[in-house]
Amino acid sequence: MKPIIFAGNSNPELARNIASHLEMELGHVEIIRFADSECRVRVEEDVEEKDVFIIQSLSNPVDEFLMEFLLMGDAVKRGEPRRMIAVLPYHGYARQDRIHRPGECLSAQVVAKLIETVGFDKLITVELHSESIVGFFKIPVIHLSGLTVFYDLVKKLNEDVVIITPDAGALKRAQRFAESLDLPLALIEKKRDLDHPHKILNMRVVGEVKDKTAIIVDDAIVTGGTLMNAAYKLKEKGVRKVIAAATHADFVGGADKILQDSPIDGIWVTDTIDIPQVKYFSKLNVSSIATLIASEMKKMVK
Ligand code: R5P
């Protein structure tokens, strides 16, 4: 039986692109908000015995889109689908993947439990902040690397490139990226202020970067602080050109302006998170993740 794809309100354009790669259209679902902001969902398709995909990026406003997604899952599950598959191009709460200080919650695990409680059978997601999040799930998780969509852009540069990891936590991701392209790697040590979210205390470059084109590889851009500070440090160390490649453009506040005015020469991101037109700037280059996700979905319904 033909599968059905539903999309929440977080990134409808990406969802439509994914569906169109699969030569399908999005299923009809009614999502309304009551005056007090409560959400109500009703699926308007017969899902019985079908494979159903629900696409939603858990981006800003995270709680709103998370709740909408969970309610969509419940509405579908009640229609007795064959399998219900969550497609989260951006997985919210992923940065809270461990307890940094006593008394903190383990939010990434709570979200995993919610997804399983609603009854999803499988999850496809992209560039998790940390691979350890997969371990919070009992259901199978297909974890895709969004950074692969930048391989061709790197090859086209034809320059003396070094890959940079912007902090120790991102080392494995940058290592994989550098190894796949057979490029050298350098490291930035980043110390965050745990009492003040997004505040960076210190950064130090370790490795050979002088006269090279440095590509900083990260999972997400939020305030732009990590990249801006890293770019200044790298230029101080004699880097010729700095490019930032991050899967998720979770821009908040003035991130667009910070990045445009920074010493970064180019910013490559994907469309896992919808970027409003007003947040576009000339250094920004957006590559679509739609083909990568669609081909994974296709394998599942073959
Ligand atoms: C942090 O550990 C992440 O991997 C990113 O580096 C971070 O989320 C980027 O945030 P911001 O743009 O606010 O520095």
Side-chain angles (χ1 to χ4, degrees):
M1 250 187 285
K2 214 171 175 281
I4 300 187
I5 305 174
F6 291 112
N9 283 315
S10 63
N11 197 342
E13 193 179 332
L14 172 64
R16 273 193 296 274
N17 284 343
I18 293 172
S20 117
H21 278 290
L22 296 165
E23 293 171 358
M24 289 175 64
E25 283 186 5
L26 295 177
H28 291 284
V29 57
E30 179 194 65
I31 303 172
I32 63 142
R33 293 257 161 208
F34 291 101
D36 64 355
S37 87
E38 261 185 27
C39 176
R40 188 187 69 192
V41 170
R42 191 170 73 96
V43 292
E44 297 174 331
E45 310 277 351
D46 176 14
V47 298
E48 197 177 342
E49 282 310 313
K50 293 179 185 156
D51 283 334
V52 177
F53 295 90
I54 302 180
I55 305 176
Q56 178 83 312
S57 285
L58 303 182
S59 53
N60 188 12
V62 184
D63 295 345
E64 199 175 294
F65 288 142
L66 171 64
M67 198 61 203
E68 190 182 281
F69 162 72
L70 295 171
L71 295 180
M72 287 174 80
D74 185 67
V76 168
K77 198 70 187 175
R78 288 169 192 283
E80 300 185 273
R82 189 171 85 97
R83 283 185 308 176
M84 184 166 78
I85 299 133
V87 182
L88 302 178
Y90 174 68
H91 194 299
Y93 282 101
R95 271 188 298 268
Q96 297 180 50
D97 61 322
R98 62 201 161 103
I99 293 174
H100 297 270
R101 296 169 305 172
E104 283 183 2
C105 52
L106 190 50
S107 312
Q109 190 180 50
V110 173
V111 172
K113 281 184 190 164
L114 288 170
I115 292 171
E116 289 184 341
T117 303
V118 164
F120 283 95
D121 298 292
K122 212 169 198 167
L123 166 66
I124 301 176
T125 191
V126 185
E127 211 74 64
L128 286 166
H129 177 64
S130 148
E131 189 74 36
S132 65
I133 293 165
V134 172
F136 292 151
F137 288 91
K138 292 191 195 81
I139 57 170
V141 177
I142 294 173
H143 181 203
L144 305 171
S145 171
L147 293 167
T148 56
V149 304
F150 303 129
Y151 285 175
D152 285 343
L153 294 175
V154 179
K155 286 177 193 157
K156 271 189 213 144
L157 285 175
N158 208 10
E159 290 165 18
D160 187 7
V161 171
V162 58
I163 302 303
I164 309 285
T165 175
D167 55 44
L171 181 60
K172 265 197 187 159
R173 180 184 304 118
Q175 254 170 350
R176 264 199 304 269
F177 192 81
E179 274 166 18
S180 306
L181 293 160
D182 202 15
L183 290 169
L185 182 74
L187 171 78
I188 291 183
E189 274 182 323
K190 177 174 80 174
K191 200 162 176 238
R192 279 219 188 260
D193 180 349
L194 291 179
D195 292 323
H196 299 94
H198 300 292
K199 192 169 168 205
I200 297 160
L201 291 175
N202 194 18
M203 271 187 165
R204 193 167 71 99
V205 180
V206 184
E208 198 43 63
V209 296
K210 196 168 183 310
D211 291 332
K212 294 183 188 262
T213 293
I215 304 183
I216 312 169
V217 168
D218 212 349
D219 57 334
I221 305 173
V222 185
T223 62
T226 299
L227 293 177
M228 181 193 63
N229 286 296
Y232 276 112
K233 283 279 168 206
L234 289 165
K235 291 251 162 132
E236 264 172 43
K237 295 281 172 192
V239 161
R240 267 176 213 247
K241 186 169 165 188
V242 177
I243 291 170
T247 302
H248 309 297
D250 192 11
F251 297 156
V252 299
D256 48 338
K257 184 156 170 34
I258 287 173
L259 295 169
Q260 178 65 29
D261 296 345
S262 75
I264 307 172
D265 300 278
I267 291 125
W268 302 344
V269 297
T270 78
D271 56 355
T272 53
I273 294 176
D274 179 45
I275 308 170
Q277 272 308 318
V278 290
K279 293 258 174 205
Y280 273 75
F281 50 98
S282 62
K283 288 182 182 174
L284 187 69
N285 179 332
V286 184
S287 300
S288 185
I289 203 86
T291 323
L292 185 72
I293 294 179
S295 56
E296 212 50 55
M297 288 164 66
K298 200 169 191 171
K299 282 185 217 161
M300 263 181 223
V301 290
K302 255 200 312 203

